[in-house]
Amino acid sequence: MYKPAYLSFVATLVAITLVASSPIKGSPLQRRQAVNCTDPNAITSGSCWEELHLAEYLTNWNKDRPICTTIDGTPEDGANCCAFNEVWSTCFIRLAMGNHGYNCININPGTCPNFQVSASTTPEVRYILGTMYSINNFFSNWNEALPYATLSGLLINQPLILEIDPIQKTNFFLSDILSALTAGLSFIAAPELSGIAGTAATALLKGIQEAPSVAKAIWPSGTADSQPEQLANLDSYLSQVDQNFTTQITQGLYTIMSDVPSFNGFASSGQFSGPNNLSLPADSDILALGLRTFIISSAMSANKWSAVTSEDLTMADVESSVPGAHGFGCTFGSNNICTNSRTSTTVFYSNSTARAYQVVLKGAGPDPTSFMNEIVNKDWSTLEQLFDGAYNCSVAPGGSGLGKPLDFFNGTAVDFACMSQLTMSKAN
């Protein structure tokens, strides 16, 4: 199951400039705030989402806003109402900014700028406009970054076939490949991988847990791409996948910008209302880690690789050759890999979980120790994601079991645990 630790985040501060007027009225604060959310010249803060009661404000605005027959007529019929088929976000922007053709429902930074508003604009409107921009900017950056992740998946495909899948035993459902590609963003939020894009990733993951409608729009079940395909044929699919993930990400963004409850849930952490830069670098290699881990672990399982885990051990325990100490009589080398050449034993030790994973190969294949080092050295995956990920998916209490790279838990929370499909069992 997806772990709450992945959702830890920090709030930092930065200034924004605000400059145009708005006929949308604000509501008074009901409690003392820790930051000055009402000062147009003050530094912004994600805490203002709660301090200004923005979810309640937007819900009431959406409920009370009248429907008009035209949006560019008299002040009585256009300046204070929404057109019959106008999505709430487009109406909100129009009333705040005037008829400038802005909308935030599409992946297009030109139509959803960092809105410049005047000092007289109410703080609620100012923060909601800023949140719209931040969300749209994130989805646009995410869409731009995914082609690089696709290329990264292509680069490991043929070497992996030659290494462990020469007779092509590995099959994938193409819908799972697309899910692993887009859901690879979850790996950026992992503590050992957090970096430039970590804040953006945790904001997304928190958002989709609070707004499952958005997750279901991005990762729909029962897609047309449900046919199995061999690893050897994956190149042709990945080379044409761009339009598929653009469609899914666009649908997720549209769900947020067209449905007020989805917007409120997705924005509820306040991170999209604060000052953090939630952009993803276009060449984020970590973004491809989910896809690469899914590919390599699926290929390993299909070719009779597996792992047996022992828990609550130290590295000294693993190296021990004392009978009954649960050790392997091995010697640690690089990448926390412990090898006993006499017994042909290869063990990976995870510092983060204090688990030892004995690598098992029941059939022909490369030397396990050399292959584990190759996985790390060629950036095919990290051994923590490969082994701890498989443990979380199939052995840990509440694990959903090998199958799809992501799933919905109880129909609401999104479970990213199964990005690694390596077969796993516990030691007796």
Side-chain angles (χ1 to χ4, degrees), residues 3-250:
K3 302 300 180 186
Y6 276 31
L7 298 178
S8 61
F9 59 86
V10 294
T12 56
L13 303 175
V14 76
I16 63 172
T17 52
L18 307 161
V19 211
S21 63
S22 166
I24 303 178
K25 304 302 180 183
S27 59
L29 292 179
Q30 297 179 15
R31 55 192 171 96
R32 183 179 180 83
Q33 62 248 16
V35 295
N36 193 342
C37 299
T38 61
D39 183 355
N41 299 312
I43 295 173
T44 58
S45 170
S47 66
C48 290
W49 180 268
E50 289 191 3
E51 296 291 347
L52 292 171
H53 308 286
L54 293 180
E56 180 183 356
Y57 169 85
L58 188 56
T59 298
N60 290 335
W61 176 89
N62 188 55
K63 180 181 65 175
D64 298 337
R65 188 59 45 190
I67 300 298
C68 53
T69 57
T70 178
I71 60 173
D72 48 17
T74 65
E76 292 76 24
D77 191 16
N80 250 342
C81 54
C82 296
F84 176 74
N85 61 347
E86 191 177 24
V87 299
W88 77 265
S89 59
T90 303
C91 178
F92 192 96
I93 296 168
R94 179 177 58 78
L95 295 182
M97 304 298 298
N99 293 313
H100 298 298
Y102 295 132
N103 79 75
C104 292
I105 61 176
N106 298 314
I107 295 176
N108 184 349
T111 63
C112 187
N114 191 358
F115 298 105
Q116 304 292 295
V117 298
S118 71
S120 63
T121 301
T122 61
E124 291 88 349
V125 172
R126 200 166 62 242
Y127 267 93
I128 289 172
L129 287 174
T131 302
M132 287 185 194
Y133 163 74
S134 293
I135 292 174
N136 181 278
N137 184 57
F138 171 81
F139 274 79
S140 297
N141 289 162
W142 188 14
N143 185 64
E144 291 173 5
L146 282 173
Y148 181 88
T150 305
L151 175 62
S152 178
L154 284 168
L155 292 176
I156 79 163
N157 204 28
Q158 292 305 319
L160 190 58
I161 291 172
L162 295 173
E163 191 79 48
I164 65 169
D165 195 38
I167 58 175
Q168 300 179 17
K169 296 181 180 179
T170 309
N171 290 300
F172 299 96
F173 285 107
L174 297 184
S175 55
D176 290 345
I177 288 293
L178 186 59
S179 293
L181 171 64
T182 50
L185 187 65
S186 65
F187 278 16
I188 300 177
E192 66 271 20
L193 298 174
S194 293
I196 263 181
T199 303
T202 52
L204 172 78
L205 298 179
K206 179 65 175 176
I208 60 178
Q209 299 293 359
E210 297 298 325
S213 58
V214 178
K216 291 174 182 177
I218 298 172
W219 298 293
S221 59
T223 63
D225 292 327
S226 58
Q227 71 272 19
E229 191 62 78
Q230 287 187 334
L231 177 61
N233 299 329
L234 199 56
D235 284 3
S236 60
Y237 177 75
L238 286 175
S239 65
Q240 303 173 45
V241 78
D242 292 24
Q243 187 57 47
N244 297 58
F245 65 62
T246 295
T247 298
Q248 291 184 201
I249 291 175
T250 300

Side-chain angles (χ1 to χ4, degrees), residues 32 87 184 308 316 332 384 390 418 422:
R32 183 179 180 83
V87 299
V308 180
F332 274 101
E384 289 84 359
C418 290
L422 180 63

Side-chain angles (χ1 to χ4, degrees), residues 255-329:
T255 299
I256 294 169
M257 296 300 175
S258 63
D259 179 61
V260 168
S262 294
F263 181 88
N264 284 339
F266 192 81
S268 62
S269 71
Q271 283 199 271
F272 288 101
S273 303
N276 293 323
N277 180 3
L278 299 183
S279 297
L280 291 169
D283 61 350
S284 176
D285 190 55
I286 297 176
L287 191 60
L289 185 58
L291 175 63
R292 296 199 303 265
T293 300
F294 181 71
I295 290 174
I296 194 170
S297 59
S298 297
M300 289 175 69
S301 289
N303 287 275
K304 299 183 178 180
W305 292 76
S306 62
V308 180
T309 181
S310 302
E311 302 186 63
D312 299 321
L313 299 177
T314 65
M315 295 182 76
D317 293 333
V318 174
E319 287 185 306
S320 174
S321 57
V322 176
H326 305 292
F328 299 89

